[in-house]
């Protein structure tokens, strides 16, 4: 049987001599028992030729060798499982975010990094890397022109209104050559209505920028980790946009006021004089209030207002972009950063008010990850060994 002739096994038979109950009672130790076992196989005529393949020591070596073979066959599966688990743990740790630094400098740096990430996401929306910034162009290309078109200057320059304003501008003494004051009043009263669409364009871009701030906050994963910091950053960003809107509205309305306060003289120099139109300079001055004359005045004023309106349609977007969009890209959180540098460590800690359950979860995951990485290193060492 021990020679494998009577009953074959996948692995050969190995004979052993165990301690008897009498040996155990006599406290025969394992070393002595192994020595007696070796002597038995070496000196027995029946087993002498098998002595090198018998005994507990040989059995241990064979089992160890077999176990090593089994383990090596399982290594690829174990490596795959461990690598998958490591990736899952790293992914969850990444979603939970970095642990909070213990010192004030580390906290400040961490807050600054989170804010810079938010600022970068916001800029990507404006620059077209992410969606949303194209709505600003829609304000300039659709909303503003449509609002200017709705002003209907021709109705404002109706015959009755032209007669009324020119008559009022003349006062007690009618104009002699051209109703200059009447022209100015008609033009100014028409151009001042552009203030409405100009302000609306500023407010529309402001609303879009606010929406992009909220989107950027939602897409900045680190801000979800710290609710108080999220609120502070959002408030600071909106406050900055409000200040920029104020400056933009001031600058944009100044463009309209500039058109009102100084008229382009060259435009009026090119207008034909009455005598060139067949007018009779010997007519009474009061003939200049007839419908034909007033209609021509209204036409001239409308041409000038349309010219000024076309100019403002191009300059208003430039003012809005300069004062709001460009400034938002450059200095959205500058004021927040200035105030942040003045805060003490305890105030910084309040901004990083992470949920204790998340902190505990992160610590637990980090410990598990360390164990799996150690296991990975151990198994890789076995896999590469001869």
């Amino acid at each position: 049987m021990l020679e494998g002739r009577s009953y074959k096994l996948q692995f050969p038979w190995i004979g052993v001599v165990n301690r008897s109950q009498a040996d155990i009672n006599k406290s025969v130790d394992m070393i002595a028992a192994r020595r007696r076992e070796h002597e038995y196989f070496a000196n027995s005529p029946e087993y002498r030729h098998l002595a090198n393949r018998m005994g507990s020591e040989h059995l241990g070596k064979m089992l160890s060798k077999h176990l090593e073979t089994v383990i090596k066959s399982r290594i690829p599966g174990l490596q795959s499982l461990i690598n998958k688990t490591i990736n899952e743990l790293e992914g969850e740790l990444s979603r939970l975010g970095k642990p909070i630094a213990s010192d004030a400098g580390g906290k400040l740096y961490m807050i600054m990094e989170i804010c810079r990430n938010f600022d970068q996401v916001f800029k990507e929306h404006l620059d077209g890397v992410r969606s949303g910034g194209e709505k600003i162009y829609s304000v300039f290309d659709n909303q503003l022109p449509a609002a200017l078109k709705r002003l209907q200057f021709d109705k404002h320059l109706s015959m009755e209104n032209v007669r009324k304003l020119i008559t009022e501008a003349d006062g007690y003494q009618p104009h002699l050559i051209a109703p200059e004051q009447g022209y100015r009043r008609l033009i100014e009263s028409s151009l001042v209505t552009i203030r409405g669409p100009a302000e609306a364009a500023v407010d529309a871009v402001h609303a879009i920028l606010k929406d992009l701030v909220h989107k950027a906050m939602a897409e900045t994963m680190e801000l979800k980790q710290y609710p108080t910091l999220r609120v502070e950053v959002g408030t600071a960003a909106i406050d900055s946009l409000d200040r920029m809107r104020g400056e933009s509205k001031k600058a944009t309305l100044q463009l309209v006021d500039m058109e009102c306060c100084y008229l382009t003289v060259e435009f009026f120099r090119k207008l034909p004089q009455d005598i060139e139109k067949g007018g009779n300079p010997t007519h009474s001055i009061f003939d200049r209030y007839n419908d034909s004359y007033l209609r021509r005045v209204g036409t001239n004023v409308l041409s000038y207002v349309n010219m000024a309106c076309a100019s403002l349609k191009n300059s208003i977007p430039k003012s809005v972009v300069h004062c709001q969009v460009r400034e938002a890209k450059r200095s959205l959180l500058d004021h927040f950063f200035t105030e942040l540098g003045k805060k003490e460590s305890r105030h910084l800690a309040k901004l990083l008010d992470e949920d204790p359950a998340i902190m505990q979860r992160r610590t637990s995951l980090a410990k598990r990850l360390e164990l799996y990485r150690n296991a990975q290193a151990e198994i890789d060492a076995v896999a590469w060994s001869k």
Side-chain angles (χ1 to χ4, degrees), residues 104-165:
K107 288 184 175 69
L108 180 60
Y109 177 81
M110 190 172 184
I111 293 172
M112 296 283 284
E113 279 294 299
I114 294 173
C115 291
R116 276 191 282 266
N117 291 340
F118 158 75
D119 195 46
Q120 180 60 36
V121 173
F122 176 73
K123 289 177 181 177
E124 288 176 0
H125 278 291
L126 289 176
D127 294 336
V129 179
R130 300 170 188 250
S131 63
E134 72 281 355
K135 294 179 181 178
I136 294 175
Y137 174 73
S138 179
V139 172
F140 303 145
D141 194 50
N142 298 314
Q143 180 178 323
L144 179 61
L148 293 174
K149 190 174 182 179
R150 285 195 297 270
L151 292 177
Q152 297 180 329
F153 296 118
D154 53 342
K155 291 186 178 180
H156 179 72
L157 297 172
S158 63
M159 187 74 67
E160 293 77 10
N161 201 38
V162 171
R163 179 180 286 109
K164 176 177 179 293
L165 288 179

Side-chain angles (χ1 to χ4, degrees), residues 209-280:
L209 291 173
K210 283 178 64 176
D211 183 58
L212 293 183
V213 163
H214 294 309
K215 282 186 176 180
M217 289 176 62
E219 294 168 8
T220 304
M221 299 304 297
E222 296 88 345
L223 285 176
K224 295 180 180 180
Q225 190 175 344
Y226 309 107
T228 301
L229 180 60
R230 176 187 172 90
V231 172
E232 290 287 332
V233 170
T235 301
I238 298 302
D239 288 346
S240 292
L241 292 180
D242 289 343
R243 287 193 296 271
M244 293 168 192
R245 175 177 62 174
E247 292 298 320
S248 179
K249 193 166 287 190
K250 180 180 176 182
T252 303
L253 293 180
Q254 280 181 340
L255 292 176
V256 180
D257 295 341
M258 288 175 191
E259 291 289 349
C260 294
C261 71
Y262 189 81
L263 306 183
T264 304
V265 179
E266 189 66 23
F267 175 87
F268 295 97
R269 285 176 179 169
K270 293 179 180 178
L271 292 177
Q273 299 300 316
D274 290 346
I275 194 167
E276 295 174 353
K277 285 289 186 180
N280 189 344

Side-chain angles (χ1 to χ4, degrees), residues 157-341:
L157 297 172
S158 63
M159 187 74 67
E160 293 77 10
N161 201 38
V162 171
R163 179 180 286 109
K164 176 177 179 293
L165 288 179
I166 287 182
T167 303
E168 290 176 353
D170 282 347
Y172 71 93
Q173 181 174 332
H175 62 274
L176 300 177
I177 299 175
E180 181 178 335
Q181 291 302 318
Y183 266 114
R184 291 186 180 277
R185 288 195 183 186
L186 285 167
I187 291 171
E188 289 173 6
S189 64
S190 297
L191 291 179
V192 76
T193 61
I194 300 178
R195 291 173 65 95
E199 285 188 281
V202 171
D203 290 337
V205 171
H206 177 70
I208 293 170
L209 291 173
K210 283 178 64 176
D211 183 58
L212 293 183
V213 163
H214 294 309
K215 282 186 176 180
M217 289 176 62
E219 294 168 8
T220 304
M221 299 304 297
E222 296 88 345
L223 285 176
K224 295 180 180 180
Q225 190 175 344
Y226 309 107
T228 301
L229 180 60
R230 176 187 172 90
V231 172
E232 290 287 332
V233 170
T235 301
I238 298 302
D239 288 346
S240 292
L241 292 180
D242 289 343
R243 287 193 296 271
M244 293 168 192
R245 175 177 62 174
E247 292 298 320
S248 179
K249 193 166 287 190
K250 180 180 176 182
T252 303
L253 293 180
Q254 280 181 340
L255 292 176
V256 180
D257 295 341
M258 288 175 191
E259 291 289 349
C260 294
C261 71
Y262 189 81
L263 306 183
T264 304
V265 179
E266 189 66 23
F267 175 87
F268 295 97
R269 285 176 179 169
K270 293 179 180 178
L271 292 177
Q273 299 300 316
D274 290 346
I275 194 167
E276 295 174 353
K277 285 289 186 180
N280 189 344
T282 62
H283 283 180
S284 167
I285 196 67
F286 292 100
D287 290 345
R288 293 185 179 276
Y289 292 109
N290 64 40
D291 289 353
S292 177
Y293 177 72
L294 294 175
R295 190 176 296 110
R296 190 162 70 251
V297 170
T299 301
N300 292 338
V301 170
L302 181 60
S303 297
Y304 183 87
V305 169
N306 285 335
M307 179 190 73
C309 185
S311 175
L312 287 171
K313 187 171 71 173
N314 293 324
S315 58
I316 287 174
K318 295 177 182 179
S319 173
V320 172
V321 169
H322 178 80
C323 296
Q324 288 175 265
V325 181
R326 178 172 171 267
E327 281 304 304
K329 288 179 66 176
R330 290 178 56 188
S331 58
L332 183 64
L333 294 179
D334 279 7
H335 182 72
F336 176 74
F337 287 151
T338 301
E339 294 300 313
L340 191 65

